[in-house]
Amino acid sequence: MAKLIRYGMVGGGPGSFIGKVHRMAANLDGKMRLVAGSFSSDSEKSRRMGSQLNLQPDRVYESYQQMAENEAALHEDKRIDVVSVVVPNNLHYDVCKTFIEAGVHVICDKPMTNTLEEAEELCRLVAKHNTLFALTHNYSGYPMVKEARQLVEEGTLGTLRKVVVEYPQGWLARSVENEAEVWRLNPNIAGISSTIADIGTHAEHLVRFITGAEIEELYADINTFVDGRTLEDDANLLVHYKNGMRGILYASQVSIGEENALKIRLYGDQAALEWEQEQPNELRLKYPDKPEEIYRRGNSYLSEAARYHNRIPAGHPEGFIEAFANIYSNVADVISARKSGAQPDKLAMDFPTVQDGARGVHFIHKAIESGKQQKWVDMDYTPPT
């Protein structure tokens, strides 16, 4: 039996929603064990979080720099194999860089960095130090999203013509309590974008993951509806893809009443498909001359990729945590293979990489550029390898 992969976490301290999600995902399949962390810049909070998680006190650190240095100095049978980075955007680059240079694999929340220069430097560092880097575009972890990609690859939809992807939320529809403290609205922390960086990049990656299509050019209409905000809270994009497909991307956090309504509709010249995150266990196929088909997670008729990323039988819903867990599970399997000198399973290699991160940062910056200048912008881009 493969040994548990030891992981550490930077961020995810008391009250952190996303830190808790990452820990649940990492623990779900019994392949990883949390052994170290620097959970907050407040050392008392970090110690308290470490105590709650039953970590050894000497593996709970006051800073991520101290954590990287001390962990790298430990024997290879004790130190962390991978670090989970769940800090605000402005810290992603420094934290990731520090651990990559220490020879530690990285799992990082999106967007990868706040600037394209930082993103490209991480690409170069990952290649230089031969580390794994996984970006948690968790929606690519859903089995039915992987089924959608397989159907596109098999030509079931025919030639792709149009995609409509939407990600509406309503939690910022009105001014929120202590809005100045919401880091996603603070350009000093979030960077140049709020809504596009937070959820628009998920929508863009979902299209790219399913179709493999790269954007040729885009036109963005960005808006800030709530008075007093510096960054956008709504965005509408027209997108032209290199394969001739045309797209509409809508990301909004002022769509009142919406919760987390990510949805994609993809139209070819033979068929169409539809998937929505709030009903993730179903994938709908539509045809011009026969009834609609509904594919359901957990069934034997699905593709190998969808079955590989499935845990329980049909009729038992899987969701958000499991999609995150598929990324963690795959990273654990690839690290285990590396340790044993084996070739990783191709299906385990199915997670977003540092290059996906760079493409996402490029998308964010170009969308904001287009929105501010009110013009079409060229999207041609190849990240460093």
Side-chain angles (χ1 to χ4, degrees):
M1 173 181 273
K3 292 182 178 180
L4 287 176
I5 298 300
R6 298 176 298 276
Y7 84 98
M9 178 169 281
V10 178
S16 168
F17 158 71
I18 202 64
K20 187 175 182 180
V21 166
H22 280 253
R23 288 191 292 270
M24 287 190 288
N27 294 340
L28 187 62
D29 295 299
K31 298 177 181 179
M32 304 180 81
R33 180 165 66 94
L34 180 65
V35 299
S38 177
F39 301 102
S40 171
S41 57
D42 182 321
S43 59
E44 189 280 327
K45 288 183 178 179
S46 186
R47 286 193 296 271
R48 176 154 44 99
M49 192 76 248
S51 177
Q52 290 175 11
L53 295 170
N54 298 311
L55 299 187
Q56 294 295 320
D58 63 344
R59 304 290 290 276
V60 181
Y61 299 97
E62 293 189 1
S63 71
Y64 65 84
Q65 296 94 335
Q66 180 192 53
M67 177 177 165
E69 181 179 354
N70 286 18
E71 289 293 318
L74 295 174
H75 188 273
E76 63 179 3
D77 287 338
K78 187 175 182 182
R79 64 176 176 247
I80 59 172
D81 299 297
V82 61
V83 64
S84 175
V85 179
V86 290
V87 293
N89 298 358
N90 63 317
L91 295 174
H92 284 185
Y93 171 72
D94 286 336
V95 176
C96 292
K97 178 176 183 291
T98 298
F99 281 91
I100 292 167
E101 291 178 335
V104 178
H105 305 300
V106 173
I107 300 172
C108 182
D109 218 356
K110 45 65 26 210
M112 188 167 73
T113 59
N114 274 355
T115 73
L116 187 58
E117 292 76 16
E118 291 173 343
E120 292 179 340
E121 178 62 12
L122 289 186
C123 290
R124 287 186 282 267
L125 286 170
V126 165
K128 177 181 177 181
H129 294 276
N130 193 30
T131 52
L132 287 176
F133 192 107
L135 193 72
T136 51
H137 273 303
N138 58 298
Y139 301 109
S140 66
Y142 281 102
M144 301 315 292
V145 170
K146 297 183 186 297
E147 183 70 14
R149 179 184 59 182
Q150 182 67 28
L151 291 169
V152 169
E153 290 178 353
E154 292 174 352
T156 301
L157 274 64
T159 300
L160 300 180
R161 289 175 168 172
K162 188 175 186 69
V163 62
V164 180
V165 60
E166 57 191 75
Y167 200 156
Q169 297 175 338
W171 70 287
L172 292 176
R174 295 170 178 156
S175 183
V176 297
E177 185 178 0
N178 300 321
E179 182 151 318
E181 299 177 13
V182 178
W183 70 259
R184 296 187 191 283
L185 299 173
N186 183 345
N188 294 324
I189 300 175
I192 66 168
S193 168
S194 177
T195 296
I196 292 175
D198 188 20
I199 58 176
T201 185
H202 272 311
E204 184 275 330
H205 180 263
L206 184 65
V207 176
R208 180 154 44 88
F209 181 83
I210 291 174
T211 69
E214 298 292 344
I215 300 175
E216 181 176 44
E217 59 180 355
L218 62 77
Y219 186 100
D221 170 35
I222 59 175
N223 305 280
T224 305
F225 282 104
V226 177
D227 291 340
R229 288 181 182 159
T230 303
L231 301 176
E232 88 286 353
D233 50 28
D234 182 80
N236 306 281
L237 283 66
L238 295 177
V239 186
H240 292 173
Y241 292 86
K242 291 182 178 180
N243 65 353
M245 185 171 67
R246 295 293 185 259
I248 299 170
L249 188 157
Y250 144 51
S252 174
Q253 291 171 315
V254 295
S255 294
I256 198 162
E258 297 288 359
E259 295 175 348
N260 202 54
L262 174 61
K263 181 177 181 179
I264 184 169
R265 286 168 284 170
L266 182 61
Y267 302 93
D269 64 357
Q270 300 298 316
L273 64 78
E274 181 177 314
W275 178 83
E276 53 185 305
Q277 193 272 156
E278 292 183 349
Q279 302 292 332
N281 294 293
E282 292 186 351
L283 175 67
R284 296 177 177 272
L285 252 66
K286 301 178 181 181
Y287 301 93
D289 54 2
K290 60 181 179 178
E292 178 178 291
E293 297 176 353
I294 300 177
Y295 287 42
R296 290 195 171 93
R297 186 210 54 77
N299 284 285
S300 61
Y301 56 72
L302 298 175
S303 66
E304 184 181 13
R307 298 196 309 273
Y308 183 87
H309 294 93
N310 175 76
R311 289 175 179 78
I312 55 179
H316 300 78
E318 288 189 6
F320 189 73
I321 300 298
E322 290 87 349
F324 259 106
N326 280 332
I327 294 175
Y328 274 88
S329 177
N330 285 352
V331 170
D333 287 345
V334 175
I335 293 174
S336 293
R338 280 195 176 197
K339 283 185 160 189
S340 66
Q343 184 68 26
D345 191 310
K346 181 180 178 181
L347 292 170
M349 296 293 292
D350 189 7
F351 53 80
T353 67
V354 69
Q355 280 78 30
D356 288 299
R359 291 185 186 279
V361 174
H362 178 257
F363 165 75
I364 293 165
H365 281 257
K366 285 296 185 179
I368 296 298
E369 176 188 332
S370 172
K372 288 185 174 180
Q373 298 184 14
Q374 297 184 345
K375 69 174 187 179
W376 286 90
V377 296
D378 180 78
M379 285 290 291
D380 189 48
Y381 178 68
T382 303
T385 55

